[in-house]
Amino acid sequence: MLLGVTQVLSRKLLNIPIPGYIDFIEQSMVIFAFFGIAYCQRLGGHVRMDLFMAKFSARPLYFFEAIATLVGLFAITVLIETSWLHFLRAYQLGDSTIDIGIPIWPAKLVVPLAFSILWIRFALQLIGFTRLFVNPNAEIIAVPVIEDVTALARHEIEDALGEEAAKQAKFDETYRKTGKK
């Protein structure tokens, strides 16, 4: 962000842009875009179809979660292979950025590495959901626990304002579960 502000100000006020600014941004975006994916999956922070899954509990829920995780595992396996080949091509050709010639292959290597971490996360979740399908009363390990709205709001209040504020927060219980007053 500081680099972006400096780029805008130096270009506008001094007519001296930062050489290679776009190249640096292209390279750094890969890190921000891909390294957080597995962590987001671990937290269950990705977009989900909770309307469908909320109708199930215990064994059927864990079955459908395992199936969805298996589909994700297959998709990420394909993405790992193709992104690896894309990295290899850039490395072998000596591909570089247009402006100042930064090698592109390190940024392209980040993608299959980050996807490999996500693959491991999916594999752990598949084992966890399969274990819960077999024994629904087992302790929940290695799978994201989707919190209700109140618990999620408390965590966000705690992150923003501290633990005391989260404990003191009061929520309207009117619409809980039934959706009616």
Side-chain angles (χ1 to χ4, degrees):
M1 194 162 160
L2 292 174
L3 184 63
V5 170
T6 305
Q7 162 71 3
V8 170
L9 292 176
S10 67
R11 179 183 288 273
K12 188 73 171 168
L13 300 176
L14 306 173
N15 200 22
I16 305 171
I18 298 173
Y21 167 74
I22 299 295
D23 296 352
F24 294 127
I25 295 303
E26 285 176 350
Q27 299 294 309
S28 65
M29 284 176 82
V30 175
I31 294 167
F32 296 116
F34 287 96
F35 270 145
I37 294 174
Y39 181 69
C40 183
Q41 177 67 26
R42 183 204 180 290
L43 296 178
H46 55 285
V47 177
R48 299 173 43 95
M49 290 301 298
D50 284 338
L51 291 174
F52 177 73
M53 298 302 265
K55 300 197 182 314
F56 299 107
S57 63
R59 213 168 279 232
L61 173 66
Y62 299 134
F63 173 76
F64 286 118
E65 289 280 12
I67 295 297
T69 304
L70 191 60
V71 169
L73 193 61
F74 173 75
I76 209 67
T77 301
V78 172
L79 289 172
I80 289 170
E81 181 184 1
T82 55
S83 63
W84 176 256
L85 294 175
H86 197 56
F87 152 72
L88 279 179
R89 185 177 68 243
Y91 181 75
Q92 290 168 346
L93 294 175
D95 202 0
S96 64
T97 59
I98 293 173
D99 193 13
I100 60 172
I102 300 172
I104 290 178
W105 68 264
K108 289 188 178 185
L109 179 59
V110 167
V111 178
L113 291 176
F115 281 163
S116 296
I117 295 168
L118 181 58
W119 190 95
I120 293 167
R121 165 61 24 211
F122 272 129
L124 288 171
Q125 280 186 212
L126 181 62
I127 293 166
F129 283 128
T130 304
R131 184 177 146 273
L132 288 170
F133 174 72
V134 172
N135 183 7
N137 297 324
E139 182 182 359
I140 295 177
I141 299 173
V143 298
V145 176
I146 308 304
E147 298 175 322
D148 65 348
V149 177
T150 305
L152 188 61
R154 282 199 195 283
H155 287 302
E156 289 182 9
I157 292 169
E158 186 176 327
D159 287 344
L161 303 174
E163 194 173 323
E164 273 305 308
K167 286 180 185 175
Q168 294 173 2
K170 298 197 180 357
F171 299 99
D172 182 12
E173 301 289 329
T174 309
Y175 291 96
R176 185 176 283 268
K177 295 286 182 190
T178 63
K180 298 178 184 176
K181 283 188 177 183

